Amino acid sequence: MSPVRAPRRTLLAVGALAAALTLSACTGDSNGRSGGGGDTNFVTGTGGISTAPEGKRISAPQLSGKDLTGKPLDLADYRGKVVVLNLWGSWCAPCRAEAPYLTRLAEETRSKGVEFVGINTRDPQTGPALAFERDYEVPYPSFHDPIGKLILKFPKGSLNPQAIPSTIVIDREGKIAARALTALDDKQLRSMIDPVLAEK
């Protein structure tokens, strides 16, 4: 008698949900440090910010889906730009705290070739997330990723998102240059963006 197998769709959904639940929701360690070291090719700094030098960066995954209004959104469309990718949820207090800084920097750096994109997660419905965007006048789109399918695409051992909020800076070649696992202010954001923007 052959064993009963669970439908593939169910297994995928359970796997995605389990991975999403491993994220530290709106938390960080008491020292603001993130994991790293070993042979991961990135350097862990204070304040929850880690960086990878040019030549030792891992490519960002191919992310595509729909934004909060249902329109197609594809990270590949931003190739050649410095991309700031922010993982957030409307229910997350630290996400609300950093939203004004993200909005301001998105507007100030767009003319320099920087694009911001969000990944909204753990919001089953888009209504609260859209209200969040209206409240903070967010000028950039966000993927709607309620159970973390896009988050799963980031390779383990890379500068992958591991908390909510997380912010990742992707260089012009589509590789992950920096990551923060905590809410950021404008000074911290600039410390991540400016060095990558200065690269030729």
Side-chain angles (χ1 to χ4, degrees):
M1 184 175 180
S2 61
V4 177
R5 293 184 178 180
R8 185 169 183 270
R9 185 182 306 169
T10 301
L11 292 174
L12 288 173
V14 169
L17 182 59
L21 290 174
T22 63
L23 290 171
S24 301
C26 292
T27 61
D29 77 14
S30 60
N31 296 314
R33 290 191 294 264
S34 58
D39 56 2
T40 55
N41 289 329
F42 59 87
V43 178
T44 301
T46 58
I49 297 174
S50 302
T51 59
E54 285 187 89
K56 294 187 177 180
R57 295 172 183 166
I58 295 175
S59 294
Q62 295 181 357
L63 302 181
S64 62
K66 293 184 178 180
D67 70 11
L68 292 169
T69 66
K71 294 179 182 177
L73 183 58
D74 194 331
L75 194 62
D77 292 340
Y78 298 90
R79 191 68 179 265
K81 305 274 190 178
V82 173
V83 177
V84 179
L85 195 63
N86 179 254
L87 179 67
W88 65 281
S90 67
W91 42 268
C92 168
C95 300
R96 291 193 291 273
E98 72 175 359
Y101 302 113
L102 289 161
T103 295
R104 184 186 312 156
L105 264 293
E107 293 171 342
E108 290 178 1
T109 59
R110 180 173 290 136
S111 63
K112 299 177 182 178
V114 180
E115 295 288 346
F116 281 59
V117 179
I119 300 179
N120 170 256
T121 192
R122 295 196 195 173
D123 275 315
Q125 306 299 323
T126 59
L130 288 167
F132 179 103
E133 289 193 335
R134 285 193 299 271
D135 289 345
Y136 293 100
E137 299 179 345
V138 177
Y140 52 86
S142 284
F143 290 101
H144 185 223
D145 188 32
I147 62 171
K149 287 183 178 181
L150 295 180
I151 299 166
L152 282 175
K153 291 180 177 287
F154 285 84
K156 291 182 180 179
S158 70
L159 292 174
N160 56 326
Q162 296 176 8
I164 304 169
S166 288
T167 300
I168 290 171
V169 177
I170 301 170
D171 68 19
R172 294 180 181 91
E173 295 181 356
K175 296 183 176 181
I176 303 172
R179 176 196 64 187
L181 298 178
T182 186
L184 301 171
D185 59 24
D186 51 357
K187 184 178 179 181
Q188 291 168 312
L189 279 164
R190 285 192 179 279
S191 76
M192 295 175 69
I193 297 168
D194 289 349
V196 182
L197 194 57
E199 295 170 359
K200 301 299 181 184

